[in-house]
Amino acid sequence: REKLMLNYQVHGNGHPLVLLHGFVGGAGYWFQQEEALGGDFQLISVDLPGFAGSAGVPEQDSLEGYANTVIEVMDALDLPRVSLLGFSMGGMIAQELARLYPDRVETLILYGSSAVGDLPQRFESWEASIQRLGRDGVEATTDKTVATWFVDGTESPRYPRTREACAGASLPHCIKVMRAMQGWNSEAWLGELTMPTLVLVGDQDRSTTPYDSIPLWEGIPNAEFCILPATAHGIHLEEPELFNLVLKKFLLRHVG
């Protein structure tokens, strides 16, 4: 069958920053970063296989496979070297990409992410989410998942637009990527990631707690660690001004 490339969006001008969303996410939920950072950076937001605009792209068997699909986008856009931001599941894929292609990643931002794919502190296990998908379907599962990204859940004023941006996930792909995360672990090779790295997490994150992010900070030689107060999993949506400030200061410090 014909090989399909991932759907992506490009906003702004300047140093390229590739944005990888989390589970049941999509490129459309970076709108508050595009507006705030587009004057200094070129933001390339990618829909990973099975999500949003890439729902028809074939699924992968491993997080390494997902990383390779992102490299295809970078090659198509003639981007030899980028800053790479991965949120949650996207942070695991970003770690794989940085391991496989270290010369392509100038700086790395691992946000709401972990070195352990099973996420023992998550609000529910991947197995429970897989069962929920089979019982309730993709849309109801997405409703519940997106609500956990905000301290105030569905009452957050930013929940509706976020939920809209996360529409269109494919059921088989959701299950496939959850299976890919089960048993995945980067702790043995984190020391190979020598690019400047920012590890960022909310103090009320119910998916990847600060405890889950500490091994990233300790294991990556040039990592900085930031815990933002009164925020849950989706800081870039919940407290965008604070998130954008921290991200911009880190990037300007390392890439100018």
Side-chain angles (χ1 to χ4, degrees), residues 191-218:
E192 300 173 19
L193 307 182
T194 58
M195 65 284 295
T197 300
L198 173 64
V199 179
L200 183 64
V201 67
D203 66 346
Q204 296 185 46
D205 193 325
R206 295 175 55 206
S207 295
T208 52
T209 68
Y211 176 85
D212 294 315
S213 295
I214 287 174
L216 296 172
W217 172 52
E218 293 182 331

PDB file of all heavy atoms in Angstrom, residues 191-218:
ATOM      1  N   GLY A 191      21.658   8.265  29.605  1.00  0.00           N
ATOM      2  CA  GLY A 191      22.975   8.907  29.637  1.00  0.00           C
ATOM      3  C   GLY A 191      23.541   9.208  28.263  1.00  0.00           C
ATOM      4  O   GLY A 191      24.476  10.002  28.127  1.00  0.00           O
ATOM      5  N   GLU A 192      22.968   8.592  27.211  1.00  0.00           N
ATOM      6  CA  GLU A 192      23.414   8.845  25.844  1.00  0.00           C
ATOM      7  C   GLU A 192      22.853  10.151  25.289  1.00  0.00           C
ATOM      8  O   GLU A 192      23.332  10.646  24.261  1.00  0.00           O
ATOM      9  CB  GLU A 192      22.984   7.689  24.935  1.00  0.00           C
ATOM     10  CG  GLU A 192      23.548   6.331  25.332  1.00  0.00           C
ATOM     11  CD  GLU A 192      22.956   5.206  24.491  1.00  0.00           C
ATOM     12  OE1 GLU A 192      22.415   5.501  23.391  1.00  0.00           O
ATOM     13  OE2 GLU A 192      23.020   4.043  24.933  1.00  0.00           O
ATOM     14  N   LEU A 193      21.844  10.702  25.941  1.00  0.00           N
ATOM     15  CA  LEU A 193      21.201  11.923  25.451  1.00  0.00           C
ATOM     16  C   LEU A 193      21.966  13.118  26.010  1.00  0.00           C
ATOM     17  O   LEU A 193      21.718  13.570  27.122  1.00  0.00           O
ATOM     18  CB  LEU A 193      19.733  11.964  25.880  1.00  0.00           C
ATOM     19  CG  LEU A 193      18.892  10.726  25.527  1.00  0.00           C
ATOM     20  CD1 LEU A 193      17.442  10.922  25.963  1.00  0.00           C
ATOM     21  CD2 LEU A 193      18.964  10.416  24.037  1.00  0.00           C
ATOM     22  N   THR A 194      22.883  13.634  25.225  1.00  0.00           N
ATOM     23  CA  THR A 194      23.793  14.675  25.735  1.00  0.00           C
ATOM     24  C   THR A 194      23.391  16.089  25.331  1.00  0.00           C
ATOM     25  O   THR A 194      24.054  17.043  25.717  1.00  0.00           O
ATOM     26  CB  THR A 194      25.226  14.402  25.241  1.00  0.00           C
ATOM     27  OG1 THR A 194      25.221  14.362  23.808  1.00  0.00           O
ATOM     28  CG2 THR A 194      25.741  13.068  25.776  1.00  0.00           C
ATOM     29  N   MET A 195      22.309  16.227  24.546  1.00  0.00           N
ATOM     30  CA  MET A 195      21.872  17.576  24.160  1.00  0.00           C
ATOM     31  C   MET A 195      21.232  18.282  25.357  1.00  0.00           C
ATOM     32  O   MET A 195      20.729  17.616  26.276  1.00  0.00           O
ATOM     33  CB  MET A 195      20.879  17.503  22.993  1.00  0.00           C
ATOM     34  CG  MET A 195      19.554  16.817  23.299  1.00  0.00           C
ATOM     35  SD  MET A 195      19.649  14.982  23.395  1.00  0.00           S
ATOM     36  CE  MET A 195      20.093  14.553  21.729  1.00  0.00           C
ATOM     37  N   PRO A 196      21.269  19.632  25.404  1.00  0.00           N
ATOM     38  CA  PRO A 196      20.582  20.339  26.491  1.00  0.00           C
ATOM     39  C   PRO A 196      19.114  19.914  26.547  1.00  0.00           C
ATOM     40  O   PRO A 196      18.432  19.880  25.515  1.00  0.00           O
ATOM     41  CB  PRO A 196      20.718  21.812  26.094  1.00  0.00           C
ATOM     42  CG  PRO A 196      21.914  21.858  25.210  1.00  0.00           C
ATOM     43  CD  PRO A 196      21.917  20.564  24.460  1.00  0.00           C
ATOM     44  N   THR A 197      18.650  19.600  27.748  1.00  0.00           N
ATOM     45  CA  THR A 197      17.306  19.041  27.916  1.00  0.00           C
ATOM     46  C   THR A 197      16.579  19.745  29.048  1.00  0.00           C
ATOM     47  O   THR A 197      17.163  20.017  30.097  1.00  0.00           O
ATOM     48  CB  THR A 197      17.389  17.533  28.217  1.00  0.00           C
ATOM     49  OG1 THR A 197      18.034  16.870  27.120  1.00  0.00           O
ATOM     50  CG2 THR A 197      16.002  16.928  28.413  1.00  0.00           C
ATOM     51  N   LEU A 198      15.301  20.019  28.823  1.00  0.00           N
ATOM     52  CA  LEU A 198      14.427  20.555  29.862  1.00  0.00           C
ATOM     53  C   LEU A 198      13.379  19.497  30.192  1.00  0.00           C
ATOM     54  O   LEU A 198      12.678  19.010  29.302  1.00  0.00           O
ATOM     55  CB  LEU A 198      13.729  21.835  29.386  1.00  0.00           C
ATOM     56  CG  LEU A 198      12.656  22.413  30.310  1.00  0.00           C
ATOM     57  CD1 LEU A 198      13.251  22.863  31.644  1.00  0.00           C
ATOM     58  CD2 LEU A 198      11.915  23.570  29.625  1.00  0.00           C
ATOM     59  N   VAL A 199      13.289  19.151  31.460  1.00  0.00           N
ATOM     60  CA  VAL A 199      12.246  18.246  31.952  1.00  0.00           C
ATOM     61  C   VAL A 199      11.226  19.106  32.690  1.00  0.00           C
ATOM     62  O   VAL A 199      11.566  19.830  33.620  1.00  0.00           O
ATOM     63  CB  VAL A 199      12.835  17.167  32.886  1.00  0.00           C
ATOM     64  CG1 VAL A 199      11.737  16.253  33.416  1.00  0.00           C
ATOM     65  CG2 VAL A 199      13.905  16.351  32.148  1.00  0.00           C
ATOM     66  N   LEU A 200       9.982  19.036  32.256  1.00  0.00           N
ATOM     67  CA  LEU A 200       8.944  19.953  32.719  1.00  0.00           C
ATOM     68  C   LEU A 200       7.712  19.165  33.130  1.00  0.00           C
ATOM     69  O   LEU A 200       7.259  18.282  32.393  1.00  0.00           O
ATOM     70  CB  LEU A 200       8.610  20.917  31.575  1.00  0.00           C
ATOM     71  CG  LEU A 200       7.602  22.029  31.773  1.00  0.00           C
ATOM     72  CD1 LEU A 200       8.096  23.017  32.825  1.00  0.00           C
ATOM     73  CD2 LEU A 200       7.383  22.751  30.444  1.00  0.00           C
ATOM     74  N   VAL A 201       7.134  19.485  34.309  1.00  0.00           N
ATOM     75  CA  VAL A 201       5.974  18.731  34.794  1.00  0.00           C
ATOM     76  C   VAL A 201       5.155  19.613  35.734  1.00  0.00           C
ATOM     77  O   VAL A 201       5.683  20.544  36.352  1.00  0.00           O
ATOM     78  CB  VAL A 201       6.436  17.431  35.498  1.00  0.00           C
ATOM     79  CG1 VAL A 201       7.195  17.742  36.787  1.00  0.00           C
ATOM     80  CG2 VAL A 201       5.279  16.488  35.765  1.00  0.00           C
ATOM     81  N   GLY A 202       3.865  19.320  35.822  1.00  0.00           N
ATOM     82  CA  GLY A 202       2.993  20.016  36.751  1.00  0.00           C
ATOM     83  C   GLY A 202       2.937  19.316  38.099  1.00  0.00           C
ATOM     84  O   GLY A 202       2.989  18.085  38.169  1.00  0.00           O
ATOM     85  N   ASP A 203       2.805  20.080  39.174  1.00  0.00           N
ATOM     86  CA  ASP A 203       2.833  19.473  40.507  1.00  0.00           C
ATOM     87  C   ASP A 203       1.581  18.667  40.821  1.00  0.00           C
ATOM     88  O   ASP A 203       1.566  17.862  41.759  1.00  0.00           O
ATOM     89  CB  ASP A 203       3.080  20.532  41.585  1.00  0.00           C
ATOM     90  CG  ASP A 203       1.953  21.546  41.720  1.00  0.00           C
ATOM     91  OD1 ASP A 203       1.086  21.623  40.819  1.00  0.00           O
ATOM     92  OD2 ASP A 203       1.934  22.277  42.726  1.00  0.00           O
ATOM     93  N   GLN A 204       0.508  18.836  40.019  1.00  0.00           N
ATOM     94  CA  GLN A 204      -0.710  18.060  40.230  1.00  0.00           C
ATOM     95  C   GLN A 204      -1.010  17.143  39.042  1.00  0.00           C
ATOM     96  O   GLN A 204      -2.159  16.752  38.823  1.00  0.00           O
ATOM     97  CB  GLN A 204      -1.891  19.007  40.487  1.00  0.00           C
ATOM     98  CG  GLN A 204      -1.727  19.825  41.764  1.00  0.00           C
ATOM     99  CD  GLN A 204      -2.948  20.658  42.079  1.00  0.00           C
ATOM    100  OE1 GLN A 204      -4.078  20.182  42.017  1.00  0.00           O
ATOM    101  NE2 GLN A 204      -2.729  21.924  42.428  1.00  0.00           N
ATOM    102  N   ASP A 205       0.037  16.781  38.317  1.00  0.00           N
ATOM    103  CA  ASP A 205      -0.105  15.891  37.167  1.00  0.00           C
ATOM    104  C   ASP A 205      -0.536  14.504  37.651  1.00  0.00           C
ATOM    105  O   ASP A 205       0.114  13.895  38.493  1.00  0.00           O
ATOM    106  CB  ASP A 205       1.242  15.792  36.434  1.00  0.00           C
ATOM    107  CG  ASP A 205       1.139  15.149  35.076  1.00  0.00           C
ATOM    108  OD1 ASP A 205       0.316  14.235  34.907  1.00  0.00           O
ATOM    109  OD2 ASP A 205       1.906  15.557  34.187  1.00  0.00           O
ATOM    110  N   ARG A 206      -1.638  13.995  37.081  1.00  0.00           N
ATOM    111  CA  ARG A 206      -2.175  12.693  37.469  1.00  0.00           C
ATOM    112  C   ARG A 206      -1.780  11.582  36.490  1.00  0.00           C
ATOM    113  O   ARG A 206      -2.167  10.433  36.670  1.00  0.00           O
ATOM    114  CB  ARG A 206      -3.704  12.758  37.555  1.00  0.00           C
ATOM    115  CG  ARG A 206      -4.211  13.673  38.644  1.00  0.00           C
ATOM    116  CD  ARG A 206      -5.719  13.778  38.583  1.00  0.00           C
ATOM    117  NE  ARG A 206      -6.369  12.483  38.627  1.00  0.00           N
ATOM    118  CZ  ARG A 206      -7.574  12.217  38.123  1.00  0.00           C
ATOM    119  NH1 ARG A 206      -8.245  13.174  37.497  1.00  0.00           N
ATOM    120  NH2 ARG A 206      -8.086  11.015  38.211  1.00  0.00           N
ATOM    121  N   SER A 207      -1.036  11.938  35.458  1.00  0.00           N
ATOM    122  CA  SER A 207      -0.564  10.939  34.498  1.00  0.00           C
ATOM    123  C   SER A 207       0.917  10.651  34.696  1.00  0.00           C
ATOM    124  O   SER A 207       1.326   9.504  34.844  1.00  0.00           O
ATOM    125  CB  SER A 207      -0.817  11.414  33.064  1.00  0.00           C
ATOM    126  OG  SER A 207      -2.199  11.521  32.800  1.00  0.00           O
ATOM    127  N   THR A 208       1.718  11.715  34.669  1.00  0.00           N
ATOM    128  CA  THR A 208       3.148  11.595  34.944  1.00  0.00           C
ATOM    129  C   THR A 208       3.464  12.557  36.078  1.00  0.00           C
ATOM    130  O   THR A 208       3.599  13.759  35.862  1.00  0.00           O
ATOM    131  CB  THR A 208       3.983  11.931  33.697  1.00  0.00           C
ATOM    132  OG1 THR A 208       3.565  13.200  33.192  1.00  0.00           O
ATOM    133  CG2 THR A 208       3.801  10.885  32.623  1.00  0.00           C
ATOM    134  N   THR A 209       3.558  12.043  37.266  1.00  0.00           N
ATOM    135  CA  THR A 209       3.805  12.879  38.432  1.00  0.00           C
ATOM    136  C   THR A 209       5.246  13.392  38.409  1.00  0.00           C
ATOM    137  O   THR A 209       6.089  12.861  37.672  1.00  0.00           O
ATOM    138  CB  THR A 209       3.587  12.069  39.716  1.00  0.00           C
ATOM    139  OG1 THR A 209       4.617  11.066  39.807  1.00  0.00           O
ATOM    140  CG2 THR A 209       2.227  11.386  39.715  1.00  0.00           C
ATOM    141  N   PRO A 210       5.551  14.420  39.213  1.00  0.00           N
ATOM    142  CA  PRO A 210       6.949  14.827  39.317  1.00  0.00           C
ATOM    143  C   PRO A 210       7.875  13.665  39.670  1.00  0.00           C
ATOM    144  O   PRO A 210       9.003  13.593  39.172  1.00  0.00           O
ATOM    145  CB  PRO A 210       6.917  15.887  40.428  1.00  0.00           C
ATOM    146  CG  PRO A 210       5.550  16.501  40.293  1.00  0.00           C
ATOM    147  CD  PRO A 210       4.653  15.350  39.936  1.00  0.00           C
ATOM    148  N   TYR A 211       7.384  12.736  40.477  1.00  0.00           N
ATOM    149  CA  TYR A 211       8.169  11.548  40.817  1.00  0.00           C
ATOM    150  C   TYR A 211       8.560  10.774  39.560  1.00  0.00           C
ATOM    151  O   TYR A 211       9.677  10.257  39.454  1.00  0.00           O
ATOM    152  CB  TYR A 211       7.355  10.664  41.766  1.00  0.00           C
ATOM    153  CG  TYR A 211       8.015   9.357  42.113  1.00  0.00           C
ATOM    154  CD1 TYR A 211       8.948   9.271  43.157  1.00  0.00           C
ATOM    155  CD2 TYR A 211       7.708   8.187  41.420  1.00  0.00           C
ATOM    156  CE1 TYR A 211       9.550   8.057  43.470  1.00  0.00           C
ATOM    157  CE2 TYR A 211       8.302   6.984  41.729  1.00  0.00           C
ATOM    158  CZ  TYR A 211       9.224   6.924  42.757  1.00  0.00           C
ATOM    159  OH  TYR A 211       9.830   5.724  43.061  1.00  0.00           O
ATOM    160  N   ASP A 212       7.646  10.688  38.578  1.00  0.00           N
ATOM    161  CA  ASP A 212       7.935   9.965  37.339  1.00  0.00           C
ATOM    162  C   ASP A 212       8.959  10.699  36.480  1.00  0.00           C
ATOM    163  O   ASP A 212       9.661  10.073  35.678  1.00  0.00           O
ATOM    164  CB  ASP A 212       6.651   9.789  36.514  1.00  0.00           C
ATOM    165  CG  ASP A 212       5.637   8.885  37.194  1.00  0.00           C
ATOM    166  OD1 ASP A 212       6.036   7.833  37.699  1.00  0.00           O
ATOM    167  OD2 ASP A 212       4.451   9.243  37.226  1.00  0.00           O
ATOM    168  N   SER A 213       9.021  12.027  36.619  1.00  0.00           N
ATOM    169  CA  SER A 213       9.929  12.821  35.785  1.00  0.00           C
ATOM    170  C   SER A 213      11.346  12.897  36.350  1.00  0.00           C
ATOM    171  O   SER A 213      12.283  13.203  35.601  1.00  0.00           O
ATOM    172  CB  SER A 213       9.376  14.244  35.628  1.00  0.00           C
ATOM    173  OG  SER A 213       8.157  14.232  34.914  1.00  0.00           O
ATOM    174  N   ILE A 214      11.507  12.622  37.621  1.00  0.00           N
ATOM    175  CA  ILE A 214      12.835  12.738  38.251  1.00  0.00           C
ATOM    176  C   ILE A 214      13.880  11.860  37.572  1.00  0.00           C
ATOM    177  O   ILE A 214      15.014  12.311  37.344  1.00  0.00           O
ATOM    178  CB  ILE A 214      12.736  12.468  39.764  1.00  0.00           C
ATOM    179  CG1 ILE A 214      12.053  13.653  40.453  1.00  0.00           C
ATOM    180  CG2 ILE A 214      14.118  12.210  40.370  1.00  0.00           C
ATOM    181  CD1 ILE A 214      11.770  13.431  41.928  1.00  0.00           C
ATOM    182  N   PRO A 215      13.579  10.587  37.204  1.00  0.00           N
ATOM    183  CA  PRO A 215      14.603   9.782  36.521  1.00  0.00           C
ATOM    184  C   PRO A 215      15.102  10.396  35.213  1.00  0.00           C
ATOM    185  O   PRO A 215      16.270  10.193  34.844  1.00  0.00           O
ATOM    186  CB  PRO A 215      13.892   8.448  36.273  1.00  0.00           C
ATOM    187  CG  PRO A 215      12.872   8.353  37.361  1.00  0.00           C
ATOM    188  CD  PRO A 215      12.387   9.763  37.533  1.00  0.00           C
ATOM    189  N   LEU A 216      14.257  11.149  34.519  1.00  0.00           N
ATOM    190  CA  LEU A 216      14.706  11.839  33.310  1.00  0.00           C
ATOM    191  C   LEU A 216      15.739  12.901  33.658  1.00  0.00           C
ATOM    192  O   LEU A 216      16.792  13.013  33.027  1.00  0.00           O
ATOM    193  CB  LEU A 216      13.517  12.486  32.598  1.00  0.00           C
ATOM    194  CG  LEU A 216      12.440  11.543  32.042  1.00  0.00           C
ATOM    195  CD1 LEU A 216      11.245  12.355  31.543  1.00  0.00           C
ATOM    196  CD2 LEU A 216      12.999  10.678  30.927  1.00  0.00           C
ATOM    197  N   TRP A 217      15.420  13.677  34.662  1.00  0.00           N
ATOM    198  CA  TRP A 217      16.330  14.750  35.102  1.00  0.00           C
ATOM    199  C   TRP A 217      17.653  14.169  35.605  1.00  0.00           C
ATOM    200  O   TRP A 217      18.740  14.670  35.281  1.00  0.00           O
ATOM    201  CB  TRP A 217      15.631  15.560  36.186  1.00  0.00           C
ATOM    202  CG  TRP A 217      16.486  16.567  36.883  1.00  0.00           C
ATOM    203  CD1 TRP A 217      17.268  17.536  36.308  1.00  0.00           C
ATOM    204  CD2 TRP A 217      16.647  16.712  38.294  1.00  0.00           C
ATOM    205  NE1 TRP A 217      17.895  18.279  37.284  1.00  0.00           N
ATOM    206  CE2 TRP A 217      17.527  17.799  38.516  1.00  0.00           C
ATOM    207  CE3 TRP A 217      16.113  16.043  39.389  1.00  0.00           C
ATOM    208  CZ2 TRP A 217      17.887  18.203  39.795  1.00  0.00           C
ATOM    209  CZ3 TRP A 217      16.471  16.459  40.664  1.00  0.00           C
ATOM    210  CH2 TRP A 217      17.354  17.529  40.858  1.00  0.00           C
ATOM    211  N   GLU A 218      17.581  13.111  36.384  1.00  0.00           N
ATOM    212  CA  GLU A 218      18.792  12.509  36.945  1.00  0.00           C
ATOM    213  C   GLU A 218      19.590  11.732  35.903  1.00  0.00           C
ATOM    214  O   GLU A 218      20.813  11.651  35.987  1.00  0.00           O
ATOM    215  CB  GLU A 218      18.424  11.589  38.106  1.00  0.00           C
ATOM    216  CG  GLU A 218      17.868  12.312  39.314  1.00  0.00           C
ATOM    217  CD  GLU A 218      17.553  11.382  40.470  1.00  0.00           C
ATOM    218  OE1 GLU A 218      17.227  10.193  40.225  1.00  0.00           O
ATOM    219  OE2 GLU A 218      17.624  11.835  41.630  1.00  0.00           O
TER     220      GLU A 218
END
